[in-house]
Amino acid sequence: MLWSTLYHKIGKQPSKVTQHTHVYAILENPKTHRTEKVFLQLKHDASGRPYLVQDFSRSRD
């Protein structure tokens, strides 16, 4: 999925859903062939646009 597609899908979600649903990305390392679940936190900038940052409190090493 492209970032632009994800951005449009997040923008169409009601704010209550985005506040109570955990978001994560499943990433695959092509060199080691291992998958990793990275939890993301939804934030909004000053103009109200949503963006994602890694949630280190939920991520596991």
Side-chain angles (χ1 to χ4, degrees):
M1 179 183 309
L2 298 174
W3 281 107
S4 60
T5 305
L6 180 62
Y7 174 78
H8 290 294
K9 287 185 179 212
I10 290 172
K12 293 180 182 179
Q13 293 292 321
S15 63
K16 185 169 185 157
V17 171
T18 58
Q19 291 173 355
H20 298 289
T21 306
H22 298 293
V23 178
Y24 61 88
I26 298 175
L27 305 175
E28 183 176 346
N29 187 338
K31 291 183 180 179
T32 62
H33 302 289
R34 299 179 90 190
T35 58
E36 179 182 358
K37 186 187 280 189
V38 177
F39 284 91
L40 302 170
Q41 193 172 32
L42 180 65
K43 296 200 175 202
H44 295 84
D45 63 6
S47 63
R49 293 186 181 134
Y51 65 96
L52 299 169
V53 294
Q54 185 174 357
D55 187 1
F56 291 103
S57 64
R58 293 190 147 283
S59 296
R60 289 178 266 159
D61 291 331

